[in-house]
Amino acid sequence: MPAGMRRAFSTLGCPELPLEDALGLAARHGVDAVELRTLEGTTDLPALFARSGPEDLRRTLGAHRRVLVLVLATSFRLVRPGAEDRAALLAFAPWAEALGVPWLRVFDGGDPSDPGAVSLAAETLRWWRGLRRERGWNVDVIVETHDSLLSGERIRQFGAEAGGARLLWDTHHTWRASGVPPHELWPEIAAQVAHIHVKDSVSRPSGRFPYTYVLPGQGEFPMGPLRAALQRDGYAHAVSLEWERQWHPELPPLEDALRAAAARGWW
């Protein structure tokens, strides 16, 4: 991994593990940080955390202080959220504050064919910002490119309408959706990106996708050119392996993916 970048993974890859074991897995593989999406088989992290309490959780984090928790990953979508969706997002904020986690991951939402999606997403982001100021929170949201933000044009439009919004760039998703190699899209969106997801696949249909996930370095994802572009521009945030075993239980264990990423020079 080039100097300044952090290695990370999402707990989607080890959904059955408790927090302590997920942090231990990261430490064993020399991974600097984790995103918490699922633990002990649930994505309802606020309910799970409430069973332990903040003090126990802080002790667990303190025992693995070399591994940072960078993101609590929510299911919230910025486009047309309802009252229940907003309440579910806000349930994460006190835990992020208590544990010193800087980001709550939210999705863009909407549809790439909807010309109003970007404006709706920016409107919801303004709601969040007002509430964040009012409550004095340090945690902020980071917006994953997942639904409507799949092209350089859309991402730039969002940046213009939601000034200062930070992105979690799902490089595989934008690449498969648009056909634009990540190292070519990067210069257009670099100023907005504060976290990156990577994974690999081959062009063979699988279930509802026109591709099949494979171990890092065994597919078609152009990681080498992307790494070179990030290093050239001094990218100094996380590159995170999003191994989606929670949604695709047929995938090999996360440890296999971490070993493959290291062996193939992904980091």
Side-chain angles (χ1 to χ4, degrees), residues 9 11 14 17-27 34 36 39 67:
F9 65 70
T11 58
C14 52
L17 294 184
L19 176 60
E20 184 171 10
D21 291 352
L23 296 173
L25 175 63
V34 296
L36 302 184
L39 292 169
V67 180

mmCIF file of all heavy atoms in Angstrom, residues 9 11 14 17-27 34 36 39 67:
data_model
loop_
_atom_site.group_PDB
_atom_site.id
_atom_site.type_symbol
_atom_site.label_atom_id
_atom_site.label_comp_id
_atom_site.label_asym_id
_atom_site.label_seq_id
_atom_site.Cartn_x
_atom_site.Cartn_y
_atom_site.Cartn_z
ATOM 1 N N PHE A 9 -11.186 -3.123 5.649
ATOM 2 C CA PHE A 9 -12.192 -4.009 5.081
ATOM 3 C C PHE A 9 -13.526 -3.738 5.757
ATOM 4 O O PHE A 9 -13.602 -3.187 6.851
ATOM 5 C CB PHE A 9 -11.808 -5.493 5.184
ATOM 6 C CG PHE A 9 -11.707 -6.081 6.568
ATOM 7 C CD1 PHE A 9 -12.835 -6.300 7.357
ATOM 8 C CD2 PHE A 9 -10.466 -6.465 7.082
ATOM 9 C CE1 PHE A 9 -12.733 -6.859 8.622
ATOM 10 C CE2 PHE A 9 -10.358 -7.041 8.350
ATOM 11 C CZ PHE A 9 -11.503 -7.230 9.121
ATOM 12 N N THR A 11 -17.001 -5.308 7.391
ATOM 13 C CA THR A 11 -17.397 -6.527 8.083
ATOM 14 C C THR A 11 -18.513 -7.268 7.349
ATOM 15 O O THR A 11 -18.957 -8.316 7.821
ATOM 16 C CB THR A 11 -17.815 -6.244 9.538
ATOM 17 O OG1 THR A 11 -18.885 -5.294 9.554
ATOM 18 C CG2 THR A 11 -16.634 -5.730 10.343
ATOM 19 N N CYS A 14 -17.251 -10.721 7.052
ATOM 20 C CA CYS A 14 -17.205 -11.639 8.212
ATOM 21 C C CYS A 14 -18.421 -11.378 9.079
ATOM 22 O O CYS A 14 -18.292 -11.021 10.254
ATOM 23 C CB CYS A 14 -15.909 -11.450 8.998
ATOM 24 S SG CYS A 14 -15.554 -9.722 9.463
ATOM 25 N N LEU A 17 -18.984 -12.510 12.899
ATOM 26 C CA LEU A 17 -18.038 -12.231 13.984
ATOM 27 C C LEU A 17 -18.536 -11.129 14.917
ATOM 28 O O LEU A 17 -19.147 -10.151 14.474
ATOM 29 C CB LEU A 17 -16.683 -11.813 13.417
ATOM 30 C CG LEU A 17 -15.897 -12.860 12.631
ATOM 31 C CD1 LEU A 17 -14.544 -12.294 12.243
ATOM 32 C CD2 LEU A 17 -15.729 -14.155 13.423
ATOM 33 N N PRO A 18 -18.234 -11.222 16.205
ATOM 34 C CA PRO A 18 -18.422 -10.082 17.104
ATOM 35 C C PRO A 18 -17.332 -9.042 16.854
ATOM 36 O O PRO A 18 -16.329 -9.314 16.168
ATOM 37 C CB PRO A 18 -18.293 -10.698 18.496
ATOM 38 C CG PRO A 18 -17.450 -11.916 18.293
ATOM 39 C CD PRO A 18 -17.759 -12.420 16.917
ATOM 40 N N LEU A 19 -17.517 -7.869 17.414
ATOM 41 C CA LEU A 19 -16.593 -6.756 17.182
ATOM 42 C C LEU A 19 -15.157 -7.135 17.517
ATOM 43 O O LEU A 19 -14.234 -6.876 16.735
ATOM 44 C CB LEU A 19 -17.032 -5.546 18.005
ATOM 45 C CG LEU A 19 -16.121 -4.326 17.946
ATOM 46 C CD1 LEU A 19 -15.981 -3.806 16.521
ATOM 47 C CD2 LEU A 19 -16.657 -3.223 18.866
ATOM 48 N N GLU A 20 -14.939 -7.739 18.678
ATOM 49 C CA GLU A 20 -13.578 -8.058 19.100
ATOM 50 C C GLU A 20 -12.880 -8.968 18.098
ATOM 51 O O GLU A 20 -11.712 -8.766 17.766
ATOM 52 C CB GLU A 20 -13.595 -8.716 20.479
ATOM 53 C CG GLU A 20 -12.205 -8.999 21.027
ATOM 54 C CD GLU A 20 -12.221 -9.437 22.470
ATOM 55 O OE1 GLU A 20 -13.320 -9.702 23.000
ATOM 56 O OE2 GLU A 20 -11.133 -9.488 23.081
ATOM 57 N N ASP A 21 -13.593 -9.952 17.575
ATOM 58 C CA ASP A 21 -12.980 -10.884 16.627
ATOM 59 C C ASP A 21 -12.729 -10.215 15.276
ATOM 60 O O ASP A 21 -11.736 -10.524 14.607
ATOM 61 C CB ASP A 21 -13.867 -12.112 16.448
ATOM 62 C CG ASP A 21 -13.899 -12.985 17.699
ATOM 63 O OD1 ASP A 21 -13.128 -12.709 18.631
ATOM 64 O OD2 ASP A 21 -14.716 -13.924 17.734
ATOM 65 N N ALA A 22 -13.624 -9.317 14.849
ATOM 66 C CA ALA A 22 -13.407 -8.594 13.594
ATOM 67 C C ALA A 22 -12.156 -7.721 13.686
ATOM 68 O O ALA A 22 -11.349 -7.655 12.738
ATOM 69 C CB ALA A 22 -14.631 -7.756 13.250
ATOM 70 N N LEU A 23 -11.985 -7.054 14.824
ATOM 71 C CA LEU A 23 -10.790 -6.232 15.015
ATOM 72 C C LEU A 23 -9.539 -7.106 15.075
ATOM 73 O O LEU A 23 -8.484 -6.739 14.538
ATOM 74 C CB LEU A 23 -10.921 -5.412 16.291
ATOM 75 C CG LEU A 23 -12.049 -4.373 16.321
ATOM 76 C CD1 LEU A 23 -12.171 -3.760 17.704
ATOM 77 C CD2 LEU A 23 -11.843 -3.292 15.268
ATOM 78 N N GLY A 24 -9.646 -8.262 15.714
ATOM 79 C CA GLY A 24 -8.515 -9.181 15.769
ATOM 80 C C GLY A 24 -8.138 -9.704 14.400
ATOM 81 O O GLY A 24 -6.948 -9.851 14.088
ATOM 82 N N LEU A 25 -9.131 -9.982 13.561
ATOM 83 C CA LEU A 25 -8.867 -10.424 12.191
ATOM 84 C C LEU A 25 -8.099 -9.354 11.420
ATOM 85 O O LEU A 25 -7.124 -9.647 10.711
ATOM 86 C CB LEU A 25 -10.193 -10.730 11.496
ATOM 87 C CG LEU A 25 -10.133 -11.097 10.009
ATOM 88 C CD1 LEU A 25 -9.345 -12.392 9.796
ATOM 89 C CD2 LEU A 25 -11.547 -11.231 9.444
ATOM 90 N N ALA A 26 -8.526 -8.105 11.579
ATOM 91 C CA ALA A 26 -7.823 -7.009 10.913
ATOM 92 C C ALA A 26 -6.372 -6.929 11.387
ATOM 93 O O ALA A 26 -5.442 -6.797 10.574
ATOM 94 C CB ALA A 26 -8.540 -5.689 11.171
ATOM 95 N N ALA A 27 -6.168 -7.032 12.676
ATOM 96 C CA ALA A 27 -4.809 -6.937 13.224
ATOM 97 C C ALA A 27 -3.921 -8.052 12.687
ATOM 98 O O ALA A 27 -2.751 -7.817 12.340
ATOM 99 C CB ALA A 27 -4.863 -6.967 14.747
ATOM 100 N N VAL A 34 -11.388 -0.744 9.893
ATOM 101 C CA VAL A 34 -12.560 -1.508 9.473
ATOM 102 C C VAL A 34 -13.757 -0.586 9.324
ATOM 103 O O VAL A 34 -13.825 0.494 9.928
ATOM 104 C CB VAL A 34 -12.907 -2.644 10.469
ATOM 105 C CG1 VAL A 34 -11.794 -3.675 10.526
ATOM 106 C CG2 VAL A 34 -13.214 -2.096 11.855
ATOM 107 N N LEU A 36 -17.791 -1.011 9.971
ATOM 108 C CA LEU A 36 -18.748 -1.900 10.611
ATOM 109 C C LEU A 36 -20.082 -1.816 9.880
ATOM 110 O O LEU A 36 -20.781 -0.791 9.936
ATOM 111 C CB LEU A 36 -18.931 -1.528 12.083
ATOM 112 C CG LEU A 36 -17.666 -1.542 12.945
ATOM 113 C CD1 LEU A 36 -18.020 -1.261 14.399
ATOM 114 C CD2 LEU A 36 -16.919 -2.861 12.822
ATOM 115 N N LEU A 39 -22.381 -7.247 12.325
ATOM 116 C CA LEU A 39 -21.674 -7.949 13.397
ATOM 117 C C LEU A 39 -22.645 -8.956 14.009
ATOM 118 O O LEU A 39 -23.843 -8.660 14.163
ATOM 119 C CB LEU A 39 -21.207 -6.986 14.481
ATOM 120 C CG LEU A 39 -20.108 -5.982 14.127
ATOM 121 C CD1 LEU A 39 -19.975 -4.930 15.235
ATOM 122 C CD2 LEU A 39 -18.774 -6.678 13.901
ATOM 123 N N VAL A 67 -6.158 -0.743 15.240
ATOM 124 C CA VAL A 67 -7.163 -0.889 14.184
ATOM 125 C C VAL A 67 -8.267 0.135 14.431
ATOM 126 O O VAL A 67 -8.937 0.100 15.461
ATOM 127 C CB VAL A 67 -7.764 -2.309 14.164
ATOM 128 C CG1 VAL A 67 -8.814 -2.424 13.057
ATOM 129 C CG2 VAL A 67 -6.668 -3.358 13.959
#
